[in-house]
Amino acid sequence: MNTRQQCKRIYSWVGRAKSSDQKMKTFQYRGILIKSERSLTEMCILLGEFVLVEGANADQPFVAKLLKLYEDGSQEKHAVVQWFSRITELPLNKRKLLRREVSPQEIFLDKAPGYGTDINVETIIKNVKVIPLAPEEVVPVRSKGKQIFFVKESWDGKCFKPLSPGLLSELKEAEKKKRVGSPTPLTDCQVFPSDFICSLKAETDRVTRSTMKTKNIQMEIESRHSASKSSLSKERHSQRVANGINTPGARKKLQLNSPTKSRNKLTGCNVLELLGDDCDALEAREPSATKRKVTFTEILGSPPKVSRTNGEPDSPQTMRGDWSKVAETIRISPYRRGQDSSLKAKNLDGKDDDTCLAEEQELKTRRPVVIPRSHRKCVQKTTALIAEQLHFLNISEQDQEDDYLPSTDCSDSSSSEEEESMVPCTPKRKTRSSTTLSTPKSSRKPSDTTPANTPRKSPEPRTPKTPRNATPRIPIRNQATEKPANVLEEARLRLHVSTIPGSLPCREEEFQDIYNFVESKLIDGTGGCMYISGVPGTGKTATVHEVIRCLQQAAENDELPSFQFIEINGMKLTDPHQAYVQILQLLTGQKVTATHAAELLAKLFSTPGPKRKTTVLIVDELDLLWTRKQDVMYNLFDWPTQRQAKLIILAIANTMDLPERIMMNRVASRLGLTRMSFQPYTYKQLQQIISSRLNHIKAFEEDAIQLVSRKVAALSGDARRCLDICRRSTEICEFSSQKSASGLVSMAHVMKAIDEMFSSPYINSIRNASLHEQMFLKAIIAEFRRSGLEEATVQQIYHQHVALCRIEGLQIPTVSEIMAICSRLGACRFLLVESNNKYLHVRVRLNISQDDVMYALKQE
Amino acid sequence: MSKRKSKETSSVNGECISQVQRILRERFCHQCPNGKLFGVQLQYKHLLELLKRTTIHGESNSALIIGPRGSGKTMLLNHVLKELMEAKQVRENLMQVHLNGLLQTNDKIALKEITRQLQMENVVGDKVFGSFAENLAFLLEALKKGDRDSSCPVLFILDEFDLFVHHKNQTLLYNLFDISQSAQTPVTVIGLTCRQDILELLEKRVKSRFSHRQIYLMNSFDFKQYLRIFKEQLYLPAEFLYKPFTQKWNKNVQSLSEDRTVQDVLQNHFHCSKDLRSLHMLLMLALSSITVSHPFMTGSDLLEASKSCRMDSKANIVHGLSVLEICLIIAMKHLNDVYEGEPFNFQMVYNEFQKFIQRKAHSMYNFEKPVVMKAFEHLLQLELIKPIEGLCVRAQREYLLMKLLLDNNQIMDALQVYPNCPTDVKQWATSSLSWL
């Protein structure tokens, strides 16, 4: 999304209209030319190629195959695509159907209905490589290569199927055609923006040719291919120069390099860019390796240059010696491998031959990669690793048609040190950072913070313990929990509020209303809001969750279009604006700041997404999202009104008149009039709830249940309270010494539990207070009566207190004691005491009614 | 008790006395969970069962322990935890988070502290990074992932619970109670507070999520039990090194508790405050009078201790004042009587004082006005008088309005014990009208 904002791209057609439809007034084209405004480079994408399409998540663009390009009457450029889905785009519960680990590079041919295949051309980002695999093939492991995708199976919304042979071959054909044919059409549509690139290109060619030459001397075994290879590679290189240069940073670097200083450095950068080209999907570290290689070829050609070029103190002699040694060790395997593939290439038809050529080329360019630096320990280790892995590959190669593995291995094993040093130059990194740069926390990779989103293994975590990768979890307990041993314990377990009941009794009507509302919106593919109110403990959230569960069930059974469900809770946010952050994170897995999240969400909901499901959003404790400007609420309720949003909002709050009371008119109007209020439960409903929870466990006497329900219904109608009382009464029953004859929870137990929970503590605590504390309370009342005011100073009360003590014949407390008593009573909040240091002049008020105090004191 | 005896065993006694003082002081000052609980057996059982169910069955709960200061809330909890921790099953599973409303003054700090105490993965070393929102999301996510059967139960203890109520939106309390009412990691939230009106402070949705389990501690014992507690607190343990001394000590304690004066002292103390901390204070003072030559506590020791306990602090200050200052206070008292507690200023007090001087010039030296002013300011520094608030502070010193922070009774009592007080002054104190 923001890549588009950052560097504007210009889209134009390749060639002239291929055909036109007079009736529809459309013109069809065979390709699209994407011109990046910033880097002045162009990319040509033809029909049949694979492209990345902008999606909700900037890090995970959609993958699609270009089927058709046309321009309609209103001059808008359209494309018809065949979608491919990443594993993360598939519903969670369906992923299990695969019964295997899926690498993040694997995509699925998406045959699920419901997505529009007609997209705006301007959402296309770039082309991408997709390699079809036969069902029995294993998806090669790549740690970071995001730019190559593998397709193996198709997905039709219900199950996964291997690609049909026809389709597979078709895809492969396209793949092959692309590989062979791409340079030719590209050259004619390529425009080099400035002269220096041309000169650069020439220079590059020269160097590469010299590289080839040296290599040819070394590798007689491949001499057969060398001629075609060098020419081919030249073309490829030139293409890559043009393609890869569109990263502004890299270009800058090129300019900085003076031509006299070092050709090899130039080529290093070039190669770096070449390899950074998207089509090649090279790893971030590879370019660094390639750079070394180029330096090295120079060394071979002209030893004196060495010290200048790579500035390392070692003499060329030792280096060469080192290299030859290491080369000896690793040469065997790649050579054999090269032979193998070339042999195979001979056996196979021409199509494969080409691939082999390219691969060998790649192999060769990459193989001596680390050698010049092999005096470093880590590099030696790496080379050894490569050798080992290459050897391993030789063994397993027989059943592998695709030969991209070695490159991954190289990248996998290259040292982290090199990675560190090369990070700024890697084009891939750059593209990534450009997508995240706009967020203030650019250092934070969004994918890292969402472990659930991409289960990709990070090759080398730099610091082992950063809070960023922390997974939130609570330690696992050692011993298993004990199962309930008797009926009462079982009942207690079932009566716990946390237990999710199988059904929600007494809310059938509300359930049906909400269900119908969401269902109709889902079917229509529109959005809407519903406001649900009710006092706490009336089952609002539970009912809504139940609705969602049922809808998800229905969607799974294909009775409804599938939807995405997210939930936020005003109380679980630290600030109303955090709502944006949470919604965005739940939707796409991105983690950005609130203001940015708001922008992204607004854009997401206002633009027609090519591949978007309806979103059902529950906003619990809505009143907490209130801000002075009410912008959060406004946005929340504004989004569903937009045509493309496909957003259904269920807002939950306590008060029925919330929209009228705290919302501005424009917010309340957007919320609409679809309201529902949950009435407090009546005693019959509460009774039913308890019975259904107990589910025929005989733990309560019928009367006891009725008593609880009536009590709670009279007080608040809060189901939580009801369940808590029941739970407490089972405890009282269990520990009461004289159990009722039946062993069931009886009225007496319930009464006791109710008393515990609802009786006012004041009277009891006053009775248990010390004598002078009671006397002080009496003195307060006496003073109030005397003065006729509800407020008195300690001094006045003290006089009353002294008088009372004289009557009772008690020792008269000192003023310090009186002050202590006063503050004690104040701490318990029997009294409201002014909090200042006015000593005797502190004013005191009663926090309980005088009647209560009198009642408590008289009973003695 | 007898002097002869104590002389014979003076060396042994010296050791004994220091041991006794050490043991008893530990008992009075440390809130050690080894001490005994008095009159809270029911609450103890309730809380123990509650926590046992949390740890063993993974049941989520919430409870409040409410009682006045010094009623043993923390002690009760510590006792329960100590017994709970004796079971291996509990020790290995239970995670505790202790928060105090006086330390965690807002939810942000509280969250960091919770994360730190739970040793979650976003803790680096001993520090918790990340914003408030991130921490909250992280913690909630962590607790959400757990379930009843597999996660460690977490015990949240919120000391000074009433202060958490004042946090913005009660976010922390809502979330803790919400977790305790939903199928997530089993948690038990225990709040300790002395406010009786705590439930009224909870927001209604927070209140609904609270299980309404309240454990009240009331100091609900009568004087007989109080006497027994007194004895228990003074008894030396049976495993004390010097058996004969222990016997004698305990016998003495027994006889003390039957002594009339001691009972009176205790009765008065009990009337004033029932909490055991003040009893400890009393015993502590009495204990410090014990020496080798005076190895056993006597009734008079307790009486002395009680006197110093209930000493009136302000009146004590009056004892140390000069005659001039006393005269000023008496003048203020008369002003208070005449104007019924209306504030006065220096000039009024000085005039009143001048009246007295002119009448009885022979007995008092006539001080200069600045000297009187100095004395007046000294009283101000001692906080025996206080300027009333809300008025212009820029007024001249002589005309600043003041209030006397002493009661008439206190002044009269103090004068009674004031050494070498001139009779004229005493007379003047009793009646301002005596000059008529």
Side-chain angles (χ1 to χ4, degrees), chain A residues 773 776 794 814-827 839, chain B residues 272-273:
Chain A
E773 282 163 4
F776 191 80
V794 174
T814 58
V815 177
S816 288
E817 279 175 310
I818 290 288
M819 292 307 295
I821 288 171
C822 179
S823 66
R824 269 206 299 273
L825 292 175
Y839 195 59
Chain B
C272 225
S273 136

XYZ file of all heavy atoms in Angstrom, chain A residues 773 776 794 814-827 839, chain B residues 272-273:
149
model
N -14.330 3.658 69.999
C -14.730 3.903 68.610
C -16.254 4.032 68.528
O -16.776 4.933 67.865
C -14.226 2.778 67.700
C -12.749 2.906 67.372
C -12.128 1.626 66.827
O -12.857 0.633 66.632
O -10.915 1.636 66.611
N -17.234 7.249 70.021
C -16.946 8.358 69.121
C -18.092 8.526 68.127
O -18.535 9.639 67.850
C -15.623 8.094 68.394
C -15.097 9.283 67.655
C -14.411 10.285 68.331
C -15.250 9.405 66.297
C -13.904 11.378 67.660
C -14.750 10.496 65.607
C -14.074 11.490 66.301
N -13.507 17.846 64.964
C -13.107 16.855 65.960
C -13.203 17.454 67.355
O -13.585 16.772 68.314
C -11.680 16.363 65.667
C -11.198 15.447 66.763
C -11.640 15.637 64.346
N -7.227 10.720 75.796
C -6.544 11.968 75.472
C -6.875 12.367 74.033
O -7.412 11.574 73.255
C -5.027 11.791 75.590
O -4.643 10.748 74.717
C -4.635 11.458 77.003
N -6.530 13.611 73.701
C -6.830 14.091 72.355
C -6.100 13.256 71.311
O -6.639 12.946 70.245
C -6.452 15.581 72.237
C -6.685 16.066 70.826
C -7.243 16.401 73.214
N -4.873 12.846 71.621
C -4.127 12.011 70.671
C -4.873 10.715 70.392
O -4.950 10.272 69.252
C -2.748 11.680 71.231
O -1.931 12.804 71.207
N -5.437 10.150 71.432
C -6.186 8.904 71.231
C -7.426 9.156 70.393
O -7.766 8.351 69.516
C -6.555 8.312 72.589
C -5.426 7.533 73.218
C -5.758 7.052 74.612
O -6.219 7.872 75.430
O -5.567 5.865 74.879
N -8.061 10.263 70.681
C -9.254 10.598 69.900
C -8.890 10.758 68.417
O -9.590 10.251 67.526
C -9.898 11.888 70.432
C -10.537 11.644 71.792
C -10.930 12.437 69.455
C -11.795 10.823 71.740
N -7.783 11.430 68.179
C -7.359 11.616 66.791
C -7.081 10.263 66.132
O -7.423 10.042 64.965
C -6.093 12.476 66.720
C -6.262 13.915 67.115
S -7.562 14.794 66.252
C -6.969 14.780 64.597
N -6.475 9.363 66.888
C -6.178 8.032 66.343
C -7.466 7.288 66.003
O -7.588 6.677 64.939
C -5.354 7.234 67.348
N -8.421 7.380 66.927
C -9.713 6.719 66.680
C -10.368 7.292 65.430
O -10.876 6.568 64.566
C -10.635 6.908 67.911
C -10.125 6.044 69.067
C -12.069 6.552 67.576
C -10.822 6.332 70.374
N -10.310 8.595 65.341
C -10.934 9.273 64.207
C -10.303 8.816 62.895
O -11.002 8.514 61.929
C -10.784 10.770 64.390
S -11.467 11.709 63.052
N -8.995 8.741 62.873
C -8.360 8.349 61.607
C -8.610 6.873 61.305
O -8.713 6.489 60.145
C -6.873 8.667 61.635
O -6.240 7.866 62.590
N -8.716 6.053 62.340
C -9.037 4.634 62.094
C -10.415 4.495 61.462
O -10.600 3.769 60.489
C -8.985 3.864 63.405
C -7.625 3.270 63.726
C -7.760 2.056 64.622
N -8.369 2.349 65.897
C -7.702 2.774 66.979
N -6.401 2.943 66.924
N -8.322 3.022 68.104
N -11.355 5.200 62.055
C -12.715 5.129 61.499
C -12.746 5.732 60.097
O -13.496 5.283 59.241
C -13.695 5.862 62.416
C -13.948 5.210 63.775
C -14.828 6.098 64.632
C -14.612 3.857 63.600
N -11.912 6.731 59.903
C -11.857 7.352 58.574
C -11.279 6.402 57.544
O -11.737 6.354 56.398
N -10.275 5.619 57.937
C -9.663 4.682 57.002
C -10.656 3.616 56.571
O -10.640 3.152 55.432
C -8.439 4.046 57.639
N -5.644 19.276 62.635
C -5.699 18.684 63.973
C -7.109 18.734 64.528
O -7.993 18.051 64.007
C -4.674 19.395 64.868
C -4.357 18.686 66.152
C -3.841 17.399 66.148
C -4.556 19.313 67.371
C -3.543 16.763 67.341
C -4.254 18.693 68.567
C -3.751 17.414 68.541
O -3.447 16.799 69.713
N -9.869 1.381 73.949
C -9.414 2.371 72.990
C -9.251 1.762 71.603
O -9.753 2.281 70.619
C -8.103 2.938 73.453
S -8.083 4.693 73.291
N -8.531 0.669 71.546
C -8.318 0.069 70.240
C -8.176 -1.430 70.405
O -7.475 -1.899 71.293
C -7.073 0.674 69.606
O -6.304 -0.328 69.035
